[in-house]
Amino acid sequence: MMKYRTIHDALTHLYICALLYSIFCTLDPAVGSEGTRIPAVPPEHPRLYLRAEHAARMAQRLEDPVLQPVVERLQSQAKKSPQSKVEWDAVRYLVTHDAALGRTVIESALPLLQKCVLADRQDACRETGRMMVTGAIVYDWCYGLLTAAEKEAFIRELVRLAKTQECGYPPTGQGSITGHSSEAMIMRDMLSAGIAIYDEFPEMYRLAAGRFGREHLPARNWFYDGHAYHQGDSYGPHRYSWDTYPLWIFDRLGAGNVYNPEQRFVPYLWIYTTRPDGQRLRAGDTFAHSTPRGQPWGQYIGTVLTASYYGDGILLDQYERQDGSGGNETIFELLWRDTSLQRKSIGTLPFSRYFGSPFGWMVARTGWGRDAVIAEMKINEYNFVNHQHLDAGAFQIYYKGALAVDSGLYSGSSGAYGSPHCMNYYWRTIAHNSLLIYKPDEDFGRRGYGNDGGQRLPHGRSEARDLSVLLAPENGYRTGKVLAYGFGPDPQTPDFTLLQGDITDAYSKKAREVRRSFVFLNLHNPQVPAAMVIFDRVVSAEANLRKYWLLHTLEEPRVDGTSAVVDRVQYDNSGRLTLDVLLPAATNADLTKVGGPGKEFWVFGQNYANDVEPQRLERSSIETGAWRIELSPKNAAAEDLFLNVLQVTDTQSPARWPVRRLDAGEWVGCVIEGPESAWVVLMHKNSQRSVETLRLTVPGQKPVRVLVTDLSPGRWNARREGSTETLELLVNEDSCTAWFAGPAGTWTLSR
């Protein structure tokens, strides 16, 4: 029997089972592999990607002004590639019903399938899988012209090509959540071929659709509620695009939407993390080398397919802003793009967005223009491994350049996936703006993985086969829990954005408690537009284990006592990040910089180099990071508190605003002294929700804006000493925070 860590996990799984039953068990008596009910395949042709009513409108689509760039790309591809020509001619056959053209398509396609073999290079099965799509298109769309012998030949070749796929045929290999079997080979290639040849050879459809319904679909319908994807800035949108093929394939069969409709909001993650320069905040394994500097990163076809299916103009706007997509996916934009859909500006979106369980991520912005500040905050309720890193509790900040960054390089002199650099630095916590607890003799339990002082390897960094494996507590994929989140007081342009979480489970038994709290402040000031307050409570199992607070930078930081300055001026950037350390106290704080030549990727005595050619580095979007700031208490203790304030400015702007620590009983926080008002943030030292009365004093004459976290939900009152006026505050269950503004002085918060 499956064990669940929380009631939420159990209820979620029950919901998924009920949803799958309603979708897959009521559509058709057809049965897939292992008894899984699957949608019916209608007896007519065409039925793959479109039906007769859609084919009847193809001539009109070819003339639609919205699709003219798509048509031109297809025509250009057809001149260069025999495979693309076959597909383009198949489209023309749908329009003309020209039997001679249809015969040419068939007679051209079959030799292509017969000659297609698995090349001796990495990921070559993507090419043989894509050839299956070509064969499936011809088989289905030209079905009436096929002879019995040709049908046999097509089926024979499609089965042969299916056997070249990494999942094998029958498709039983690898996982259905991450890895290559979570991409096209099952969800598009075998599914497409299976639908095309179903009348003569139903096995392939039953195998592919059965595994999809049994494994791929439950996992996605579970994590779609979080409105995000777990495979990073590059593989994430890429793999999400594969998810959208079954969306359309099954819908065109007549099954409707087989997915949790929250799928619609997954691409919003890449809207919020897109920087003003068109790149995305780094996350997971990044192949930035493929995009030249100065060009926006594409969204892949999944964004426009989602926009078209759900009628989402904001997603269409993002797709167009990022220059759309191309490659051999163009035909699907011709088939499925909604040409009546109008763009809706991303500028209408709120500045902050929460990406919930099983992720626990928050992105806050100060706007959508060139001068926007972007801050990302992560808890990571689950770690899906593969292309996701061990970065629970990490943050990033962008303003006129990348200031607080993820460090390392996916592909270079050390190799790519699984290189010593990846295993010992890039994938590890030490390469991110998170926390280390260094135990000198810690063994991370898998060969090739050294000791970075960071987070453990969930299930040895083995990929979960399906949702049941991911949710099983003994496998350790759960790495954290969001304690509070929210933004306000204006939900459209919030002054504050909050995320708090417990990430103890991300670490081994060396950690007894690790809690991190983020507060991002939109200061509404052109010179100092934003600040971030980060509070950490770290309790180690042994007092002598040294703890490290990390901040990674692209350019060399300047450290002065308990403060530091980071500039980003390369490539015409002008951003600046300043750090003020409020805890540990100055007498106990060791603030140092690490990096530079020979120490770019330094891990406790060893540099895991991963160099790239200077020309490649110069022309690409690669941002490796070569420096970091380490903050560590000097004195050994089981419990340590970290309180740090980060402010962003332009290198040409005045210095940072004055910052000082504020203590108020069981709360600790800071005062940021702006020219017109003071900003106050207070957090409970033990990160516990409190019902106790709080008394705080903010000296001076300026108005104050106050955020108090870790309050028990319900109605609270705020009163300033010497005033008869009482402010009534409603603390909600999600954020557990109170926000109010008023004159400086002594304030009391009570129930």
Side-chain angles (χ1 to χ4, degrees):
M1 180 180 295
M2 185 185 298
K3 297 179 180 179
Y4 299 98
R5 182 186 178 100
T6 65
I7 293 177
H8 173 266
D9 287 347
L11 292 176
T12 298
H13 190 66
L14 289 173
Y15 159 76
I16 291 166
C17 292
L19 181 65
L20 288 177
Y21 184 85
S22 67
I23 292 173
F24 267 72
C25 295
T26 61
L27 294 174
D28 187 65
V31 178
S33 60
E34 299 187 25
T36 306
R37 293 283 187 177
I38 57 178
V41 177
E44 75 269 16
H45 297 271
R47 63 195 179 201
L48 177 64
Y49 307 146
L50 77 174
R51 302 288 282 278
E53 63 267 29
H54 307 113
R57 296 195 291 269
M58 185 56 68
Q60 181 182 353
R61 289 182 69 81
L62 291 176
E63 298 298 324
D64 193 309
V66 173
L67 293 175
Q68 285 313 293
V70 176
V71 171
E72 291 171 5
R73 286 201 303 271
L74 288 171
Q75 292 173 331
S76 176
Q77 292 167 358
K79 294 177 182 178
K80 301 174 183 178
S81 163
Q83 183 179 2
S84 298
K85 186 176 189 306
V86 163
E87 293 182 1
W88 174 243
D89 287 345
V91 171
R92 293 174 54 222
Y93 172 71
L94 285 177
V95 173
T96 64
H97 304 289
D98 183 336
L101 176 60
R103 287 301 312 165
T104 299
V105 171
I106 293 170
E107 293 166 7
S108 299
L110 189 54
L112 287 178
L113 267 68
Q114 293 168 335
K115 294 177 183 178
C116 183
V117 295
L118 185 67
D120 185 18
R121 61 174 178 271
Q122 187 177 9
D123 299 336
C125 71
R126 291 175 179 169
E127 297 175 12
T128 54
R130 185 61 180 82
M131 186 61 74
M132 292 178 67
V133 170
T134 302
I137 286 173
V138 174
Y139 194 100
D140 181 61
W141 295 1
C142 302
Y143 184 82
L145 302 177
L146 290 168
T147 66
E150 286 170 336
K151 290 177 183 178
E152 290 181 6
F154 267 90
I155 292 169
R156 182 169 57 252
E157 295 306 317
L158 290 171
V159 172
R160 180 183 66 83
L161 291 172
K163 291 180 179 179
T164 69
Q165 302 302 290
E166 291 180 27
C167 61
Y169 186 82
T172 59
Q174 300 186 336
S176 299
I177 302 176
T178 60
H180 292 174
S181 289
S182 69
E183 296 183 344
M185 58 183 70
I186 294 171
M187 290 199 289
R188 185 193 63 186
D189 303 344
M190 288 190 198
L191 196 58
S192 298
I195 290 169
I197 64 178
Y198 183 79
D199 297 335
E200 293 74 31
F201 191 81
E203 176 187 276
M204 187 177 293
Y205 173 71
R206 289 174 178 171
L207 289 171
R211 179 167 175 186
F212 171 78
R214 187 174 63 255
E215 296 184 10
H216 293 72
L217 185 61
R220 284 153 183 79
N221 281 349
W222 176 69
F223 68 71
Y224 281 166
D225 279 337
H227 297 176
Y229 217 85
H230 43 77
Q231 292 295 283
D233 61 62
S234 300
Y235 285 92
H238 190 57
R239 285 189 170 162
Y240 172 75
S241 289
W242 303 128
D243 291 9
T244 60
Y245 284 95
L247 173 71
W248 283 92
I249 288 171
F250 285 122
D251 183 85
R252 287 293 168 91
L253 287 184
N257 186 358
V258 299
Y259 282 117
N260 177 349
E262 297 301 303
Q263 177 192 48
R264 166 184 176 177
F265 300 105
V266 171
Y268 278 71
L269 172 65
W270 302 304
I271 293 177
Y272 275 84
T273 56
T274 295
R275 308 180 335 188
D277 62 0
Q279 300 181 35
R280 288 186 281 275
L281 295 180
R282 304 303 192 253
D285 292 344
T286 299
F287 40 82
H289 60 275
S290 61
T291 305
R293 190 179 306 281
Q295 293 186 16
W297 288 7
Q299 288 286 131
Y300 301 99
I301 199 169
T303 299
V304 72
L305 296 186
T306 306
S308 296
Y309 193 89
Y310 292 102
D312 194 320
I314 287 177
L315 293 183
L316 180 61
D317 186 46
Q318 176 71 1
Y319 178 76
E320 296 291 353
R321 286 163 58 93
Q322 297 300 112
D323 287 350
S325 70
N328 59 18
E329 312 304 313
T330 305
I331 190 172
F332 297 101
E333 187 169 355
L334 174 70
L335 294 173
W336 293 332
R337 177 166 177 170
D338 180 357
T339 61
S340 66
L341 183 63
Q342 298 296 308
R343 295 170 66 173
K344 182 178 180 181
S345 173
I346 64 170
T348 61
L349 291 171
F351 288 168
S352 295
R353 192 175 187 95
Y354 175 60
F355 301 91
S357 184
F359 304 103
W361 301 340
M362 184 74 80
V363 180
R365 307 177 65 108
T366 60
W368 297 100
R370 299 295 303 178
D371 292 341
V373 182
I374 312 171
E376 177 191 60
M377 300 154 268
K378 287 184 173 181
I379 295 302
N380 288 1
E381 290 201 332
Y382 279 80
N383 190 297
F384 292 75
V385 304
N386 194 206
H387 295 296
Q388 183 179 3
H389 293 179
L390 301 170
D391 60 354
F395 66 92
Q396 292 186 75
I397 298 175
Y398 180 96
Y399 177 63
K400 298 183 178 180
L403 297 173
V405 304
D406 281 1
S407 178
L409 179 65
Y410 182 46
S411 177
S413 61
S414 180
Y417 192 91
S419 70
H421 174 82
C422 282
M423 292 193 296
N424 291 285
Y425 185 81
Y426 185 57
W427 292 344
R428 308 294 291 278
T429 313
I430 198 169
H432 302 83
N433 301 317
S434 190
L435 295 159
L436 305 180
I437 303 173
Y438 185 65
K439 183 178 182 181
D441 61 349
E442 184 171 10
D443 183 353
F444 280 80
R446 187 169 176 181
R447 185 176 179 181
Y449 288 82
N451 182 5
D452 76 320
Q455 295 160 14
R456 61 180 177 81
L457 311 180
H459 203 35
R461 270 200 109 249
S462 298
E463 298 173 30
R465 164 75 186 217
D466 56 28
L467 184 60
S468 65
V469 175
L470 186 74
L471 293 180
E474 63 269 20
N475 293 331
Y477 290 105
R478 178 136 199 174
T479 55
K481 179 182 180 182
V482 170
L483 301 175
Y485 68 91
F487 46 86
D490 185 330
Q492 190 73 18
T493 58
D495 288 348
F496 75 90
T497 302
L498 166 80
L499 181 64
Q500 296 179 300
D502 186 332
I503 57 174
T504 310
D505 285 347
Y507 296 83
S508 66
K509 292 182 179 179
K510 66 185 178 183
R512 287 185 178 169
E513 185 174 71
V514 184
R515 294 195 175 198
R516 170 157 273 195
S517 298
F518 301 100
V519 173
F520 177 82
L521 298 173
N522 182 350
L523 301 176
H524 307 287
N525 183 284
Q527 280 72 45
V528 186
M532 181 185 283
V533 182
I534 305 172
F535 175 66
D536 303 294
R537 181 172 183 262
V538 185
V539 183
S540 57
E542 302 170 38
N544 63 340
L545 302 186
R546 193 164 186 183
K547 308 169 187 74
Y548 295 86
W549 186 98
L550 304 179
L551 172 62
H552 287 269
T553 68
L554 295 173
E555 299 180 31
E556 183 176 2
R558 302 187 298 278
V559 176
D560 181 11
T562 56
S563 65
V565 177
V566 176
D567 287 344
R568 180 57 175 160
V569 296
Q570 193 179 18
Y571 305 117
D572 298 321
N573 289 296
S574 61
R576 172 171 290 175
L577 182 69
T578 63
L579 166 67
D580 285 292
V581 177
L582 304 183
L583 285 174
T587 56
N588 189 33
D590 182 9
L591 188 68
T592 60
K593 63 182 177 182
V594 177
K599 282 194 170 184
E600 299 94 336
F601 312 118
W602 189 254
V603 181
F604 294 103
Q606 183 171 348
N607 191 51
Y608 290 94
N610 199 18
D611 302 318
V612 293
E613 305 86 358
Q615 289 184 340
R616 180 186 178 204
L617 183 63
E618 185 66 27
R619 67 175 178 263
S620 71
S621 301
I622 293 173
E623 294 176 345
T624 59
W627 296 90
R628 70 175 179 262
I629 295 171
E630 293 183 348
L631 170 63
S632 184
K634 295 178 181 178
N635 303 322
E639 177 182 297
D640 285 292
L641 303 181
F642 295 88
L643 178 61
N644 294 285
V645 179
L646 297 161
Q647 297 177 58
V648 294
T649 66
D650 191 284
T651 54
Q652 305 302 314
S653 296
R656 61 182 177 270
W657 292 351
V659 175
R660 62 180 177 82
R661 196 174 89 205
L662 180 63
D663 293 287
E666 291 302 310
W667 275 263
V668 65
C670 66
V671 180
I672 305 174
E673 294 280 359
E676 297 178 356
S677 63
W679 297 69
V680 177
V681 175
L682 279 176
M683 305 182 193
H684 199 277
K685 292 178 181 178
N686 290 325
S687 303
Q688 302 292 332
R689 297 181 182 182
S690 177
V691 296
E692 300 299 322
T693 297
L694 164 65
R695 191 169 184 269
L696 65 125
T697 300
V698 185
Q701 303 299 317
K702 297 175 184 176
V704 297
R705 305 184 190 193
V706 180
L707 177 72
V708 181
T709 72
D710 305 301
L711 298 175
S712 182
R715 295 191 177 277
W716 287 71
N717 297 316
R719 176 177 292 183
R720 185 172 63 92
E721 191 174 278
S723 173
T724 59
E725 181 183 3
T726 299
L727 303 179
E728 294 185 357
L729 310 175
L730 180 61
V731 175
N732 66 44
E733 179 71 29
D734 291 334
S735 69
C736 298
T737 63
W739 170 269
F740 64 93
T746 298
W747 287 81
T748 300
L749 270 68
S750 61
R751 296 277 287 193

